[in-house]
Amino acid sequence: MNRIFSGIQPTGNLHLGNYLGAIRNWVGLQDDFESIYCIVDLHAVTLPQEPDELRRNLREVTAGVVAAGVDPQRCILFAQSAVPAHSELAWLLACQTPLGWLNRMTQFKEKAGKHRENAGLGLYAYPVLMAADILIYRATHVPVGDDQKQHLELSRDIAGAFNRQFGVDFFPLPEPQIFGAATRVMSLRDGSSKMSKSDVSDYSRINMTDDADTIALKLRKARTDADPLPGVPAGLAERPEAANLVGIYAALEGSTVAAVCAEYEGRMFSEFKPALTELAISTLAPIADEMRRLMDDPGHVDGVIADGAKRARAIAEPILAEVHDILGFLRPGRG
Ligand code: TYM
């Protein structure tokens, strides 16, 4: 049976990259797979968080995911910290993970910066917790943006190492699902860095909560070049900002970069940007409205994730018990 797992951090500013790279694909997959989607608050605290803000962000990201079309009736949506089996499996997998594998992780190097000695153990172990998130449900498919590729390869390596170490075929090797025309949405200010929640410039990203005027302003100011649009995708090769906007357009429209190039061949950005703006607003404005409506009803949002946590625990706990058996832990005294 195919089971999907994916996660998103509750660190504020849900943006267009999260939507096009991940959430929209979650929505598309929920009918065909058993889908489990998680707001990963344990990952969020690998960097300092202000408690009230974390609480608010958790509700906001949940609201955003639901507003975008993830249906908590058809899938499981919950907060990671509400299912302790994630943390426990992370420890057990950490005991099987060579340091050399973690030392290769580029995201740790980026986030730890120059003062690596001061970085927390949690930040270093982050990818092991991510592997545990997936494997505690024995998930087979993981829809993510391109930036999570290396972490997913590590999850596969960890699953394989566990199976080999204990001579079992217990954990499936999870398949990354990276698809759509915008698997890596770039900053609107700099086509060489990805759109991110942590970018200091709000003009670098379109937030899911931005109103129509803000979206229009940000796209008007988005960096481009002075050349007309090419007729084929190869013509975007050395034009990162142009490639980004065309990719966003294609993803929003549900078409391909090739189709957008064919449609806009020879046109200037002065013509393309208004079309992109209209498309972005018509897609995102209803989501932002629904998100605001849900944010006004935190009791409802809390109910959604409470129910999700119950259903997630019911899947995760028996799998953790099997892991205990595989490792040789004794049963007496356990619930
Ligand atoms: P996070 O919270 O950074 O991002 C959530 C999802 O959004 C995608 N994404 C993007 N896609 C395209 N362009 C962008 N600019 C962009 N920025 C973000 C991410 O690829 C991701 O799919 N470590 C993960 C969360 C996580 C997880 C997991 C994911 C924890 N456990 C288990 C899958 C499976 C993260 O920080 O995502």
Side-chain angles (χ1 to χ4, degrees), residues 309-327:
K310 216 183 327 162
R311 288 154 61 211
R313 280 196 293 269
I315 301 174
E317 283 168 7
I319 292 176
L320 185 61
E322 283 189 72
V323 173
H324 282 190
D325 285 342
I326 292 169
L327 290 170

Side-chain angles (χ1 to χ4, degrees), residues 81-206:
S81 60
V83 184
H86 289 239
S87 314
E88 187 171 340
L89 184 63
W91 173 259
L92 301 175
L93 296 177
C95 298
Q96 308 297 328
T97 307
L99 290 186
W101 291 3
L102 291 176
N103 288 338
R104 290 205 298 266
M105 295 297 111
T106 53
Q107 187 175 293
F108 173 75
K109 290 177 197 162
E110 281 159 25
K111 288 193 177 174
K114 287 201 189 86
H115 306 289
R116 205 176 296 178
E117 292 296 308
N118 293 336
L121 177 59
L123 190 63
Y124 188 65
Y126 179 116
V128 181
L129 177 59
M130 197 166 146
D133 294 338
I134 300 164
L135 300 178
I136 194 64
Y137 302 99
R138 298 172 82 186
T140 54
H141 293 78
V142 186
V144 283
D146 183 68
D147 61 332
Q148 297 300 316
K149 209 167 165 179
Q150 192 186 39
H151 286 158
L152 277 217
E153 277 158 16
L154 182 75
S155 297
R156 289 169 63 87
D157 288 345
I158 292 176
F162 181 96
N163 289 346
R164 270 194 309 282
Q165 169 76 20
F166 297 101
V168 291
D169 186 17
F170 187 69
F171 289 127
L173 305 190
E175 289 283 341
Q177 292 185 298
I178 301 172
F179 61 88
T183 55
R184 191 178 190 85
V185 178
M186 307 309 279
S187 156
L188 299 179
R189 310 297 287 161
D190 169 9
S192 66
S193 65
K194 76 171 182 185
M195 185 177 285
S196 130
K197 294 167 186 168
S198 52
D199 196 313
V200 285
S201 167
D202 200 50
Y203 283 100
S204 69
R205 67 184 157 257
I206 293 179

Side-chain angles (χ1 to χ4, degrees), residues 3-69:
R3 181 180 279 160
I4 283 198
F5 181 92
S6 198
I8 185 164
Q9 295 202 54
T11 39
N13 287 328
L14 215 52
H15 55 69
L16 189 63
N18 299 130
Y19 178 64
L20 295 177
I23 301 170
R24 213 178 46 156
N25 294 340
W26 299 4
V27 177
L29 292 163
Q30 66 187 342
D31 287 330
D32 299 326
F33 293 88
E34 180 185 8
S35 306
I36 304 175
Y37 299 129
C38 182
I39 317 296
V40 294
D41 48 3
L42 298 173
H43 278 109
V45 297
T46 57
L47 291 174
Q49 301 292 332
E50 206 281 305
D52 281 336
E53 205 173 312
L54 183 61
R55 258 185 290 276
R56 199 183 53 76
N57 283 338
L58 199 122
R59 292 193 176 113
E60 185 172 302
V61 169
T62 307
V65 168
V66 173

Side-chain angles (χ1 to χ4, degrees), residues 281-335:
I281 291 172
S282 67
T283 312
L284 297 178
I287 300 177
D289 286 348
E290 178 62 6
M291 210 170 150
R292 270 186 286 275
R293 199 187 64 76
L294 288 166
M295 285 298 285
D296 284 342
D297 190 358
H300 174 73
V301 172
D302 290 2
V304 163
I305 49 175
D307 176 60
K310 216 183 327 162
R311 288 154 61 211
R313 280 196 293 269
I315 301 174
E317 283 168 7
I319 292 176
L320 185 61
E322 283 189 72
V323 173
H324 282 190
D325 285 342
I326 292 169
L327 290 170
F329 294 167
L330 283 174
R331 273 201 180 281
R334 280 197 269 126

